[in-house]
Amino acid sequence: MSYVSVEGLSKAFGQNQVFSDIGFTIEQGEFITLLGPSGCGKSTLLRSIAGLNPVDSSSLTVAGQEITHLAPQKREIGMVFQSYALFPNMSVSDNIAFGLKMKSVPAEEMARKVSRIIELVELKGKEDCYPHQLSGGQCQRVALARALVVEPRILLLDEPLSALDAKIRKNLRIQIRAIQKELNLTTIFVTHDQEEAMLMSDRIFLMHGGRIVQSGTPESIYTQPANAFVAGFMGHYNILDKDSAAELFGLNGTQSIAIRPEAIYIQEPGRAYSEHMTQPTPAIIKDHQLLGNVIRYKAMIGQQEITLDALNRSAGHLIPVGSSVGLLFDRQEFQPVSLSVSTPA
Amino acid sequence: MQNANLLYHKTVVYSIISLLALPIAATLIYSFSSRWGATILPDGFTLKWYGQLFSDIRFLEAFGRSLLVCITALLLALVLVIPLAFVVFYYYPGYDRLMNVLILLPFAVPPVVSSVGLLQFYADAPFPMLGTPWILIGTYFTIALPFIYRAIANNFMAINLKDLVDAAHLLGASTPKAFFHIILPNLKKGVLASMFLSFSFLLGEFVFANILVGTRYETLQVYLYNMRQTSGHFTSALVMTYFFFIFICTWLGSRISKSNAL
Ligand SMILES: Nc1ncnc2c1ncn2[C@@H]1O[C@H](COP(=O)(O)OP(=O)(O)OP(=O)(O)O)[C@@H](O)[C@H]1O
Ligand SMILES: [Mg+2]
């Protein structure tokens, strides 16, 4: 029996069916990322699990206990909100202690727990500050500490990093993951950033159009996208419909294929390629973008646009726009995908 | 070019301000002057009129009554509006627009007209209300509603009410506990600002005060009106005191609503 199990979860706001018949299971201590584009219902799903909005139908169990009809106060679920939702009238330590106070934890034990968690999230020295005196990253850590200190059975994080700048984001990602591992917390983390999802998760649930379209480890989702939407969302996959695939590579499958941009190479004279590679296909470079250590080219094969990534070895390597090149595709990386997005996970 | 333009704007603004301030300044000087007859400048200055005013027991009583009526009406409005606004914003955010319309209704009818209606309505009350402060408190309460509702509503919007209450719920707080621990302390700003602003508004209201209770329960407004036959110096002192008081309340109100400190 899994630690968390969700079955038949549906939610509509009036005519707007946000999601329907969502089901999944999570093991204890797993770090799950709920990934999906903006507006696909991630926050609504989290709030439904927490009991903050009524759902139309579902069965929710945590550690063998049915919690479907339990009030949010009784679910022992911690949540960090997209807006942090720190109590503006309380200092950092009072914010963190609030949950313990509501449970009438004795003062001495409360002080001990609060100071331990403050150390864990590295906020020592900020105990008496008020939320408006803190930076975004510090607010985030207070919100995390406040949710953690009551030792919830599940921790829900709703895009906790989306309002922070890139550097703090990177640090906090690592910090959150380390704390989660240390406490062996069952966690659902919401994001619409696929890189974040890949980096942090044990498993990713990819949400789209009111359902979970694919779930699995970051590797399996990235390398074996179930459909064109997943392929497009997880990487900058090239999708070739079955006619183009037949024309270019002589494939006669019944499905479209997806190819990752890093599995396509620009032919370099005098270099030998493995036998997995296709013959060079003539193409014209249309555009290039410098992404740091990678150069992203857009090339045209006839009317078909192809995106490919090459390592940025030196500035002299940049191929000018308009050049004719030969493209080699790694046959092993051809992923048959369906163009429809309704394929179940 | 820029400077000339600025100078022009400044001249216009300051001229208008001086023009508007002139009657107030004249009243102020008049209230301090011992006699100001056919001369350009007063004969001498004195605090006599203020002394007379503040030793007039009728003035002090009227002032006290005004304070009592206004403060009671405002407290009543707060006690009603805060829980109401909480319910609207937490459970039915779509109803805010309806509330805005409802709450402005008392202003749709001119005071002279609605006071007649109020008089007729309360004439049938089970206990006598006409001429008592109660009818005035009831009326002022409705006048204060829009000011207070708007201020509290803005305050709720500023604090992200829904997430705060949800966070408190998940940490084990019941809705009343969340309300008293988290929502009320964060309403200080809205409450104080709206109290001061509506207070200065109510203190200057004359029509209802005069028609509904008049001399039977003489408030500051009615007292001022009744004293119009006495010495001009004396009424000037009265007007200035009144003006000063309203000015302070308005200033405090707008200062609080602008500051971020609370
Ligand atoms: N209280 C509500 N009333 C009506 N519709 C709502 C409400 N909350 C959310 N919705 C609708 O539900 C859908 C999903 O919203 P949700 O906030 O869950 O998206 P999300 O995936 O969290 O997006 P984001 O990444 O932008 O946070 C949206 O179409 C939204 O308009
Ligand atoms: Mg969201």
Side-chain angles (χ1 to χ4, degrees), chain B residues 99-135:
Chain B
M99 286 306 302
N100 282 327
V101 175
L102 282 182
I103 230 137
L104 280 175
L105 281 183
F107 278 87
V109 186
V112 179
V113 179
S114 63
S115 53
V116 174
L118 284 166
L119 282 175
Q120 290 215 328
F121 182 73
Y122 285 114
D124 300 335
F127 53 94
M129 284 190 75
L130 297 183
T132 68
W134 295 112
I135 186 167

Side-chain angles (χ1 to χ4, degrees), chain B residues 74-90 96 99-100 103 144-161 179 183-198 257:
Chain B
L74 288 177
L75 289 182
L76 216 62
L78 273 183
V79 167
L80 181 84
V81 164
I82 293 180
L84 176 85
F86 176 74
V87 170
V88 168
F89 275 81
Y90 186 63
D96 181 38
M99 286 306 302
N100 282 327
I103 230 137
L145 277 183
F147 293 99
I148 298 199
Y149 180 81
R150 247 357 292 167
I152 302 286
N154 288 345
N155 205 157
F156 274 147
M157 283 183 214
I159 61 172
N160 199 355
L161 176 81
F179 181 77
I183 303 310
L184 265 191
N186 284 306
L187 286 183
K188 248 193 301 187
K189 190 172 148 177
V191 167
L192 285 178
S194 63
M195 286 289 273
F196 281 120
L197 288 177
S198 26
S257 63

Side-chain angles (χ1 to χ4, degrees), chain B residues 56-78:
Chain B
D56 182 2
I57 201 82
R58 198 170 145 203
F59 164 73
L60 295 176
E61 275 178 1
F63 198 23
R65 287 192 199 107
S66 271
L67 287 184
L68 186 73
V69 168
C70 293
I71 291 175
T72 315
L74 288 177
L75 289 182
L76 216 62
L78 273 183

Side-chain angles (χ1 to χ4, degrees), chain A residues 236-266:
Chain A
H236 295 261
Y237 270 87
N238 296 288
I239 311 282
L240 300 182
D241 61 36
K242 62 179 195 296
D243 300 331
S244 313
E247 191 189 316
L248 285 177
F249 311 120
L251 299 176
N252 45 9
T254 54
Q255 281 188 308
S256 310
I257 59 165
I259 316 156
R260 286 187 286 143
E262 59 272 29
I264 305 172
Y265 302 84
I266 295 172

Side-chain angles (χ1 to χ4, degrees), chain B:
Chain B
M1 179 63 215
Q2 269 290 348
N3 272 335
N5 224 339
L6 199 67
L7 192 69
Y8 169 71
H9 287 300
K10 275 189 174 167
T11 316
V12 171
V13 169
Y14 284 115
S15 314
I16 293 178
I17 289 179
S18 330
L19 203 65
L20 291 177
L22 205 61
I24 299 171
T27 314
L28 185 68
I29 298 172
Y30 201 66
S31 73
F32 281 116
S33 49
S34 51
R35 228 170 61 91
W36 194 359
T39 47
I40 290 185
L41 286 174
D43 297 351
F45 291 101
T46 172
L47 283 173
K48 183 173 80 180
W49 309 115
Y50 285 94
Q52 205 177 325
L53 177 66
F54 282 94
S55 54
D56 182 2
I57 201 82
R58 198 170 145 203
F59 164 73
L60 295 176
E61 275 178 1
F63 198 23
R65 287 192 199 107
S66 271
L67 287 184
L68 186 73
V69 168
C70 293
I71 291 175
T72 315
L74 288 177
L75 289 182
L76 216 62
L78 273 183
V79 167
L80 181 84
V81 164
I82 293 180
L84 176 85
F86 176 74
V87 170
V88 168
F89 275 81
Y90 186 63
Y91 294 102
Y92 309 101
Y95 285 10
D96 181 38
R97 282 156 76 196
L98 180 68
M99 286 306 302
N100 282 327
V101 175
L102 282 182
I103 230 137
L104 280 175
L105 281 183
F107 278 87
V109 186
V112 179
V113 179
S114 63
S115 53
V116 174
L118 284 166
L119 282 175
Q120 290 215 328
F121 182 73
Y122 285 114
D124 300 335
F127 53 94
M129 284 190 75
L130 297 183
T132 68
W134 295 112
I135 186 167
L136 203 54
I137 289 174
T139 310
Y140 279 7
F141 157 81
T142 57
I143 298 180
L145 277 183
F147 293 99
I148 298 199
Y149 180 81
R150 247 357 292 167
I152 302 286
N154 288 345
N155 205 157
F156 274 147
M157 283 183 214
I159 61 172
N160 199 355
L161 176 81
K162 190 154 179 57
D163 281 357
L164 287 186
V165 176
D166 284 346
H169 279 166
L170 283 177
L171 291 167
S174 60
T175 305
K177 270 191 175 159
F179 181 77
F180 284 109
H181 282 99
I182 290 149
I183 303 310
L184 265 191
N186 284 306
L187 286 183
K188 248 193 301 187
K189 190 172 148 177
V191 167
L192 285 178
S194 63
M195 286 289 273
F196 281 120
L197 288 177
S198 26
F199 188 77
S200 62
F201 183 79
L202 290 185
L203 210 55
E205 199 287 324
F206 176 69
V207 177
F208 283 120
N210 191 40
I211 298 184
L212 292 181
V213 280
T215 45
R216 278 164 295 183
Y217 188 80
E218 194 176 61
T219 56
L220 200 53
Q221 302 91 305
V222 179
Y223 173 73
L224 173 61
Y225 180 69
N226 289 339
M227 293 312 270
R228 68 193 182 283
Q229 304 295 0
T230 56
S231 154
H233 295 288
F234 179 79
T235 38
S236 295
L238 174 53
V239 166
M240 285 320 294
T241 308
Y242 204 95
F243 183 78
F244 180 73
F245 206 70
I246 289 181
F247 176 77
I248 292 290
C249 287
T250 314
W251 179 74
L252 276 176
S254 56
R255 213 187 112 97
I256 289 169
S257 63
K258 274 191 209 119
S259 78
N260 303 316
L262 282 166

Side-chain angles (χ1 to χ4, degrees), chain A residues 70-114:
Chain A
L70 225 52
Q73 289 90 334
K74 304 238 169 72
R75 292 194 181 200
E76 294 181 51
I77 291 180
M79 179 155 171
V80 173
F81 289 78
Q82 211 163 344
S83 61
Y84 312 148
L86 297 182
F87 307 137
N89 56 316
M90 294 184 195
S91 66
V92 166
S93 50
D94 286 343
N95 258 286
I96 296 175
F98 185 80
L100 299 173
K101 234 177 246 164
M102 291 298 119
K103 286 185 174 171
S104 314
V105 172
E108 198 182 312
E109 188 187 342
M110 181 148 75
R112 190 157 33 81
K113 284 188 167 171
V114 168

Side-chain angles (χ1 to χ4, degrees), chain A residues 48-339:
Chain A
S48 307
I49 295 172
L52 294 176
N53 53 9
V55 291
D56 304 330
S57 66
S58 80
S59 153
L60 270 156
T61 59
V62 175
Q65 185 201 1
E66 169 89 33
I67 62 162
T68 317
H69 301 291
L70 225 52
Q73 289 90 334
K74 304 238 169 72
R75 292 194 181 200
E76 294 181 51
I77 291 180
M79 179 155 171
V80 173
F81 289 78
Q82 211 163 344
S83 61
Y84 312 148
L86 297 182
F87 307 137
N89 56 316
M90 294 184 195
S91 66
V92 166
S93 50
D94 286 343
N95 258 286
I96 296 175
F98 185 80
L100 299 173
K101 234 177 246 164
M102 291 298 119
K103 286 185 174 171
S104 314
V105 172
E108 198 182 312
E109 188 187 342
M110 181 148 75
R112 190 157 33 81
K113 284 188 167 171
V114 168
S115 77
R116 202 191 133 238
I117 207 87
I118 283 181
E119 215 155 289
L120 188 70
V121 297
E122 295 171 16
L123 277 171
K124 249 190 139 36
K126 297 279 174 202
E127 289 90 340
D128 298 324
C129 290
Y130 282 82
H132 70 267
Q133 299 169 318
L134 299 177
S135 72
Q138 289 167 339
C139 285
Q140 191 52 66
R141 281 179 287 167
V142 177
L144 186 64
R146 186 179 67 180
L148 288 178
V149 76
V150 292
E151 293 161 26
R153 295 190 289 192
I154 314 176
L155 178 64
L156 309 176
L157 300 156
D158 191 355
E159 305 203 31
L161 306 178
S162 62
L164 304 174
D165 68 54
K167 198 156 175 194
I168 298 170
R169 248 179 118 113
K170 278 190 182 142
N171 288 335
L172 265 178
R173 255 178 214 166
I174 298 168
Q175 221 178 355
I176 289 178
R177 182 67 161 139
I179 291 171
Q180 181 266 337
K181 276 195 174 143
E182 185 177 333
L183 305 178
N184 194 33
L185 260 175
T186 310
T187 304
I188 305 182
F189 179 95
V190 164
T191 179
H192 55 234
D193 180 339
Q194 54 91 13
E195 190 190 322
E196 205 159 271
M198 299 276 299
L199 269 171
M200 299 180 76
S201 335
D202 291 320
R203 275 192 301 153
I204 295 175
F205 293 174
L206 196 79
M207 229 177 134
H208 178 57
R211 49 202 319 152
I212 293 177
V213 287
Q214 193 174 359
S215 65
T217 61
E219 295 78 18
S220 74
I221 291 202
Y222 187 69
T223 54
Q224 291 146 33
N227 61 43
F229 169 78
V230 180
F233 197 81
M234 293 305 295
H236 295 261
Y237 270 87
N238 296 288
I239 311 282
L240 300 182
D241 61 36
K242 62 179 195 296
D243 300 331
S244 313
E247 191 189 316
L248 285 177
F249 311 120
L251 299 176
N252 45 9
T254 54
Q255 281 188 308
S256 310
I257 59 165
I259 316 156
R260 286 187 286 143
E262 59 272 29
I264 305 172
Y265 302 84
I266 295 172
Q267 189 185 23
E268 291 168 41
R271 183 163 168 193
Y273 290 93
S274 79
E275 69 269 24
H276 307 307
M277 294 293 173
T278 60
Q279 288 305 305
T281 316
I284 293 172
I285 300 289
K286 201 180 98 189
D287 187 23
H288 50 64
Q289 271 175 298
L290 220 57
L291 305 179
N293 55 344
V294 164
I295 306 170
R296 175 157 299 157
Y297 290 103
K298 297 226 186 290
M300 300 301 289
I301 304 180
Q303 292 305 307
Q304 176 76 45
E305 188 183 275
I306 299 285
T307 304
L308 65 122
D309 289 348
L311 268 184
N312 183 8
R313 291 200 195 86
S314 78
H317 264 81
L318 197 65
I319 300 170
V321 171
S323 312
S324 294
V325 293
L327 296 185
L328 298 116
F329 295 77
D330 189 341
R331 280 179 195 279
Q332 284 183 323
E333 295 285 345
F334 287 176
Q335 286 294 332
V337 291
S338 99
L339 276 178

